[in-house]
Amino acid sequence: MRIDQKKMRELVTRAVPYSPEQLRREANVFFVGGDLPERQTIETLYESHYQSNAALFHLTFGNEDRFVQAESLARQIKKNFNAYLVGRVDYGASQRAVERAYAAGVDILDIPLHVYDHARPREFGSQLEERIRSLNYARTVFPRWSVVSSLDAGSEPADSTVAGIDALLEREIVPLVQLTADAAAVPAEHLTKVFQHLQRGWLQNRALIKPLIPLVYLISPFAPAAPKGILRGVIDSIEDRRLLAGSDLRRLLRVKEVAESYESSGL
């Protein structure tokens, strides 16, 4: 991947695609709001997906009191489409919510920190410590490198974002960095430093980011280093199916194990 400077300038003027109330498609990613009506949403996804297959579904969960609705939508997406499902929970999710999201079919869970600077979390209403606890618990439920946390470039000093990237990687949590309107006031070289560090961290820690690549190309200035050849595209497609099948099998076995444990306990 390379960092596209022109794309970096363009991204700071775009709206963030995450919303629990909207359904939109950008390139080969579906952004699905968890508060949307289930039947109409699945029908719309079906029509668009089978005209041109999407590589990734991204489900934004709404408020905690509407979790069940998004959970049901996740089950329907996983049931009807053979693609990775990312779930974004923008609060400190409880242990039970993390387990239910996984059982519903979420392959990759994103609990954003937004900022890593401990002096600033209340500015974002992020309840930093609660989110960190949720991320740490999610690591015990989801497969390795299947827990993500997003940071907002430009919302804190670049050194703080870099420190956040390192802290997440140490926990085997995939850091994602997205560009927001705040980044417009940040010198391009500072933003470039953050994304260079991010890419270096992924490589050095061998983080599994392949399923997230379609999303990475939409929210960050990363771009393909070179166009894929036909053979490379076929090989990547086979590898994607293998990884997804493995993820589904691990979920099936874990959910079965938990169900049997509850049954043996008389719960």
Side-chain angles (χ1 to χ4, degrees):
M1 288 187 291
R2 61 183 177 85
I3 296 174
D4 186 329
Q5 296 294 330
K6 180 183 176 187
K7 185 180 176 186
M8 185 184 296
R9 291 191 297 271
E10 292 172 348
L11 282 170
V12 298
T13 65
R14 297 185 193 174
V16 175
Y18 313 123
S19 168
E21 300 172 346
Q22 294 181 5
L23 173 63
R24 60 196 291 184
R25 178 170 185 164
E26 293 190 20
N28 57 351
V29 178
F30 277 121
F31 292 98
V32 185
D35 292 350
L36 293 172
E38 186 176 298
R39 180 175 177 180
Q40 296 95 312
T41 301
I42 294 299
E43 288 177 351
T44 302
L45 290 173
Y46 186 90
E47 290 174 3
S48 180
H49 181 68
Y50 285 99
Q51 289 177 11
S52 176
N53 285 6
L56 189 69
F57 288 76
H58 186 288
L59 177 66
T60 300
F61 284 70
N63 296 330
E64 291 182 74
D65 58 356
R66 307 200 71 175
F67 180 89
V68 173
Q69 185 170 343
E71 178 187 27
S72 179
L73 192 50
R75 291 185 187 280
Q76 289 301 316
I77 291 172
K78 201 62 183 175
K79 177 181 177 181
N80 288 282
F81 304 98
N82 186 31
Y84 277 100
L85 174 60
V86 178
R88 181 179 172 98
V89 179
D90 207 350
Y91 53 84
S94 68
Q95 293 185 3
R96 183 63 177 150
V98 169
E99 293 169 354
R100 286 172 58 175
Y102 182 59
V106 172
D107 298 297
I108 300 168
L109 182 66
D110 179 13
I111 301 176
L113 291 181
H114 295 293
V115 297
Y116 186 70
D117 186 343
H118 287 60
R120 303 187 65 182
R122 292 190 181 280
E123 178 182 336
F124 291 81
S126 60
Q127 302 170 340
L128 186 62
E129 296 304 325
E130 287 185 18
R131 292 179 185 234
I132 290 175
R133 282 196 294 271
S134 294
L135 287 165
N136 287 336
Y137 183 72
R139 275 284 295 109
T140 69
V141 175
F142 283 75
R144 189 167 181 249
W145 297 119
S146 295
V147 178
V148 171
S149 190
S150 297
L151 299 167
D152 299 342
S155 296
E156 62 181 337
D159 288 344
S160 295
T161 304
V162 164
I165 290 169
D166 291 340
L168 291 168
L169 287 169
E170 286 177 6
R171 291 179 167 92
E172 294 191 340
I173 296 168
V174 179
L176 290 183
V177 178
Q178 63 191 32
L179 284 163
T180 64
D182 291 335
V186 180
E189 59 269 23
H190 291 186
L191 296 174
T192 300
K193 171 187 172 182
V194 169
F195 286 103
Q196 286 175 338
H197 189 83
L198 176 63
Q199 185 175 20
R200 187 161 55 246
W202 286 339
L203 292 172
Q204 290 175 348
N205 290 272
R206 298 182 179 180
L208 181 62
I209 65 164
K210 194 171 187 299
L212 290 164
I213 289 295
L215 179 63
V216 168
Y217 286 159
L218 288 176
I219 66 169
S220 74
F222 289 120
K228 286 184 181 180
I230 295 176
L231 180 58
R232 180 73 262 171
V234 171
I235 293 173
D236 283 352
S237 178
I238 293 172
E239 177 66 7
D240 287 344
R241 289 198 296 270
R242 185 188 69 81
L243 290 172
L244 184 57
S247 175
D248 289 342
L249 178 59
R250 282 190 293 272
R251 176 185 297 103
L252 178 64
L253 293 175
R254 179 176 176 85
V255 171
K256 182 174 183 290
E257 177 185 313
V258 170
E260 289 174 346
S261 175
Y262 281 137
E263 185 178 344
S264 65
S265 301
L267 300 176

